[in-house]
């Protein structure tokens, strides 16, 4: 067993630069791949369908998206496709505006609701059970699925701001940078401390330890970048005008209201997923991919009250 490990180490040492380069290119490609041709991939997977086929975006909603696109200086409407998605996903975006594939924005099906009747006439199931729209939590949940045009415009603008800031490219660049940094850190640590002559099993343990540290640094930096771009997108959109700032406050109020209702409707599982305020509980106390909804709402409110007072 030891001889096999030593042969593997010899192979890795001999071709380490080739392996490092191939790994860096590989992880970069994997991270960026969904954003190269988003208009082909995402509608195929997430498109909302009914009996007649793919559900098209209503004209009113299409006009809203064109209005917001104009605010961000998007001249080629074909480069930014908006389509309805099934389920209770939050609005999401993918792609890079300067690539031939452009960018997409998936808006949840509940964005198409315009009246309370639109929500109540649908058979909504939560955790496999039909929602009782007459209960307190049911009413709260139904109310959270109704958005004004201002909130819709903010949600569209927020995702378009993410696309314009090239967040996907920066986040795809981070893994190869961390990979190269981890390799360099392990290599120079061995050189500085003279650890190339220690027994083989200790060198393996050192490599594993360095890899774990590098992975932790990657997750911390990734979360930091996600927080930065989320807050930047909120700020860019809210600063478009008072209507957008008000829409942002309403948008996050609705998300918090929905999560508060789900916390009750899902029972113990809901208590694990959401806080009493409606924030999403992070899976780990050390890593949190996105900012808390209350924090995002507070920053948008600050722009509303101070910039447009």
């Amino acid at each position: 067993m030891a001889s096999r490990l030593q042969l593997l180490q010899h192979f890795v040492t001999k071709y380490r630069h080739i392996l490092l380069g191939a790994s860096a290119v590989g992880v970069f490609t994997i991270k960026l791949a969904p954003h190269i041709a988003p208009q082909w991939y995402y509608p195929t997977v997430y498109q909302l369908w009914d009996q007649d086929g793919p559900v098209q975006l209503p004209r009113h909603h299409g006009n809203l998206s064109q209005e917001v696109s104009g605010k961000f200086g998007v001249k080629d409407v074909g480069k930014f496709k908006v389509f309805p998605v099934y389920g209770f996903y939050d609005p999401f975006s993918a792609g890079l505006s300067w690539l031939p594939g452009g960018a997409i924005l998936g808006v949840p099906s509940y964005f198409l609701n315009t009246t309370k009747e639109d929500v109540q006439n649908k058979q909504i199931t939560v955790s496999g059970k039909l929602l009782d729209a007459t209960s307190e939590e049911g009413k709260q949940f139904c109310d959270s699925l109704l958005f004004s045009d201002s909130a819709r415009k903010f949600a569209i603008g927020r995702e378009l701001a993410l696309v314009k800031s090239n967040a996907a490219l920066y986040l795809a660049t981070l893994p190869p940078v961390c990979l190269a940094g981890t390799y360099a850190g392990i290599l120079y640590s061995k050189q500085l401390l003279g650890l190339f002559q220690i027994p083989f099993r200790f060198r393996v343990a050192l490599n594993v330890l360095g890899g774990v540290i590098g992975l932790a640094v990657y997750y911390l930096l990734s979360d930091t970048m996600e927080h930065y771009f989320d807050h930047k997108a909120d700020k860019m959109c809210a600063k478009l005008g008072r209507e957008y700032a008000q829409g942002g406050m309403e948008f996050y109020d609705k998300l918090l209201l929905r999560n508060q209702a789900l916390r009750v409707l899902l029972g113990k599982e809901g208590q694990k997923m959401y806080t009493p305020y409606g924030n999403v509980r992070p899976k780990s106390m050390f890593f949190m991919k996105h900012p808390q909804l209350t924090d995002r709402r507070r920053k948008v409110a600050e722009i509303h009250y101070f910039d447009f007072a």
Side-chain angles (χ1 to χ4, degrees):
M1 184 67 180
S3 60
R4 291 182 180 179
L5 288 174
Q6 289 174 346
L7 287 174
L8 178 61
Q9 185 200 27
H10 176 73
F11 174 82
V12 171
T13 302
K14 184 177 181 180
Y15 299 103
R16 60 180 179 271
H17 294 108
I18 296 175
L19 293 172
L20 177 64
S23 300
V25 171
V27 294
F28 176 77
T29 303
I30 291 172
K31 290 285 289 185
L32 195 63
H35 301 278
I36 295 176
Q39 297 197 21
W40 172 83
Y41 172 73
Y42 284 94
T44 303
V45 178
Y46 296 102
Q47 175 76 51
L48 177 65
W49 287 64
D50 60 14
Q51 298 177 1
D52 300 322
V55 175
Q56 301 300 317
L57 195 70
R59 178 177 296 180
H60 176 69
H61 294 68
N63 291 337
L64 289 180
S65 67
Q66 290 183 13
E67 179 184 343
V68 178
S69 299
K71 287 280 189 178
F72 282 92
V74 178
K75 298 179 181 179
D76 187 356
V77 181
K79 280 290 193 75
F80 185 61
K81 178 181 179 181
V82 184
F83 69 99
V85 301
Y86 65 88
F88 291 100
Y89 291 100
D90 290 339
F92 66 86
S93 59
L96 296 164
S97 58
W98 45 269
L99 285 180
I104 59 93
L105 167 60
V107 295
S109 58
Y110 56 78
F111 253 45
L112 309 184
N113 300 326
T114 55
T115 64
K116 289 185 177 180
E117 287 72 22
D118 290 339
V119 180
Q120 294 172 352
N121 291 337
K122 295 178 180 178
Q123 291 187 334
I124 302 174
T125 57
V126 178
S127 189
K129 297 180 181 179
L130 189 64
L131 177 69
D132 181 8
T134 61
S135 66
E136 183 178 350
E137 293 77 22
K139 291 179 181 178
Q140 188 178 11
F141 186 78
C142 290
D143 288 343
S144 73
L145 302 182
L146 284 172
F147 292 82
S148 68
D149 283 348
S150 297
R152 293 190 184 102
K153 287 162 69 172
F154 174 85
I156 295 171
R158 183 192 71 166
E159 298 304 320
L160 188 52
L162 277 175
V163 172
K164 296 288 285 185
S165 62
N166 294 316
L169 179 62
Y170 288 108
L171 290 169
T173 305
L174 182 61
V177 170
C178 288
L179 181 63
T182 300
Y183 167 78
I186 294 173
L187 181 64
Y188 288 116
S189 294
K190 290 179 179 178
Q191 289 180 344
L192 290 173
L193 300 175
L195 301 178
F196 282 106
Q197 305 303 320
I198 63 176
F200 173 72
R201 59 179 176 273
F202 291 117
R203 278 180 282 157
V204 171
L206 181 62
N207 291 339
V208 171
L209 177 61
V212 170
I213 294 174
L215 188 63
V217 170
Y218 162 71
Y219 279 117
L220 287 172
L221 290 177
S222 178
D223 287 352
T224 301
M225 290 179 68
E226 291 273 11
H227 283 226
Y228 168 77
F229 283 115
D230 283 345
H231 284 309
K232 181 181 179 181
D234 288 344
K235 183 178 180 179
M236 288 176 63
C237 189
K239 282 185 172 290
L240 290 176
R242 178 186 293 273
E243 181 187 8
Y244 286 85
Q246 289 177 336
M249 294 166 61
E250 178 194 338
F251 176 73
Y252 287 121
D253 282 337
K254 293 286 187 178
L255 295 186
L256 290 166
L257 186 66
R258 180 198 64 187
N259 293 348
Q260 289 169 6
L262 286 174
R263 188 175 190 271
V264 177
L265 292 169
L266 295 175
K268 291 183 178 180
E269 188 64 26
Q271 294 177 13
K272 294 179 181 178
M273 295 173 62
Y274 305 107
T275 69
Y277 293 103
N279 287 314
V280 179
R281 291 189 187 275
K283 295 181 179 180
S284 169
M285 62 181 297
F286 300 105
F287 305 110
M288 185 170 62
K289 188 173 183 180
H290 296 287
Q292 296 284 24
L293 294 176
T294 48
D295 189 35
R296 300 184 73 165
R297 196 236 182 242
R298 177 181 60 81
K299 289 183 178 295
V300 172
E302 289 175 355
I303 293 174
H304 174 264
Y305 290 118
F306 290 105
D307 288 29
F308 303 108

